[in-house]
Amino acid sequence: MEVQTYAIAGVKLLIPRHIGDDRGYFAETFRADLFAEQIGEYSFLQDNESRSAKAGTIRGLHFQSEPYAQGKLVRCTAGALFDVAIDIRQGSPTYGQWVAETLTPDNGKQLWIPPGFAHGLCSLEPDTVIAYKVTGSYYSVECDRGIAWNDPAIGIQWPDAADPETLSAKDRNHPLLADLPAYFSWSN
């Protein structure tokens, strides 16, 4: 498995090797020993999946605050998605900056989003399915947080397909980054 880094410390791109023949391919999408060696010791405790029926569906920007912060290992199992991670670690040299990847079943890419980052996505095709493992803690409604998907201070360059009409009621009411309490702090 190839692991690539970004200018934003902590976020990683995992690219599993596909071994193929005329029947299709085989890919090892996760191995705890390699993950620990390349990224760090994390215990995954839950797998989640969501389907976006319509192309252009926007979800996010989501995170869980302490004491139930989560890391996410995200991949796409059907369709295609534009997946985003935003650094929200107060004091980080990359605070408020973002990275994005297009994830598809064919490219097999997976985005590692550690605790201290917000996560969002936009489906690029109908019936897109995102699957992700989470670390840290189970879902906590009390610690469920978010940031406005279109915060100009963050400046995410969403794909043309992004349709604000697809936002959930909750996602329409997230605060701007400037109004977000310091849920996470940077430590080298």
Side-chain angles (χ1 to χ4, degrees):
M1 182 174 301
E2 180 184 348
V3 177
Q4 296 178 1
T5 60
Y6 297 94
I8 298 175
V11 180
K12 309 271 188 191
L13 183 67
L14 288 73
I15 307 171
R17 190 178 77 181
H18 285 191
I19 301 166
D21 60 23
D22 59 347
R23 299 170 297 165
Y25 68 84
F26 167 83
E28 190 173 78
T29 61
F30 179 77
R31 257 185 62 173
D33 60 340
L34 296 177
F35 192 88
E37 178 184 302
Q38 294 285 329
I39 295 171
E41 291 284 341
Y42 290 91
S43 294
F44 290 97
L45 49 89
Q46 184 174 324
D47 283 3
N48 298 327
E49 180 176 294
S50 72
R51 177 180 159 266
S52 296
K54 180 181 173 190
T57 299
I58 303 165
R59 297 180 186 267
L61 307 166
H62 304 143
F63 65 96
Q64 273 193 194
S65 63
E66 296 291 357
Y68 299 110
Q70 295 179 325
K72 295 179 180 178
L73 181 58
V74 180
R75 66 190 189 114
C76 179
T77 59
L81 62 93
F82 177 80
D83 205 55
V84 184
I86 304 95
D87 186 350
I88 57 170
R89 300 168 297 175
Q90 199 69 237
S92 165
T94 55
Y95 180 77
Q97 294 181 24
W98 59 278
V99 298
E101 285 290 337
T102 298
L103 309 180
T104 69
D106 287 340
N107 70 25
K109 294 178 180 180
Q110 299 178 74
L111 194 61
W112 165 245
I113 304 168
F117 285 76
H119 172 243
L121 65 94
C122 175
S123 61
L124 301 174
E125 296 178 6
D127 299 316
T128 291
V129 177
I130 176 177
Y132 58 100
K133 298 178 163 314
V134 296
T135 69
S137 299
Y138 297 106
Y139 175 75
S140 166
V141 69
E142 296 83 18
C143 295
D144 186 3
R145 305 281 185 263
I147 304 168
W149 74 281
N150 61 348
D151 186 334
I154 298 171
I156 296 170
Q157 296 172 359
W158 292 98
D160 291 340
D163 181 1
E165 295 302 313
T166 63
L167 286 163
S168 69
K170 180 179 83 170
D171 288 350
R172 292 173 193 264
N173 293 305
H174 290 313
L176 297 173
L177 183 64
D179 300 325
L180 196 70
Y183 289 112
F184 303 97
S185 60
W186 166 255
S187 62
N188 324 12

